[in-house]
Amino acid sequence: MSENQQYDSLEASELFCPRCKRSQAVRRHLLLVLPNGNRYEYRCTACGTSVGGKKDNDPTEFQTILRGT
Ligand SMILES: [Zn+2]
């Protein structure tokens, strides 16, 4: 397995959902695109409850929007 293939699995794919009372698959939603990074929220795919959040420091998305592409 290469490092690159492993990268995606570092993203949260399952988190404990307090509403389902068990670990559930989650989907990542982009909440905010900021000049210094993006803010994400993880939501349970079963009930839609927000089960966590994350902020990265990747300005790529913001610059993409600025370029209008
Ligand atoms: Zn749930």
Side-chain angles (χ1 to χ4, degrees), residues 5-43:
Q5 281 169 333
Q6 279 295 304
Y7 183 78
D8 272 351
S9 63
L10 293 177
E11 292 285 343
S13 57
E14 260 195 15
L15 288 171
F16 181 81
C17 174
R19 190 159 163 185
C20 298
K21 293 182 168 47
R22 52 163 291 188
S23 184
Q24 290 282 30
V26 292
R27 201 162 277 163
R28 193 177 71 171
H29 294 263
L30 182 62
L31 288 183
L32 267 176
V33 179
L34 300 167
N36 59 349
N38 309 313
R39 197 176 292 271
Y40 298 98
E41 182 181 71
Y42 291 105
R43 287 184 201 158

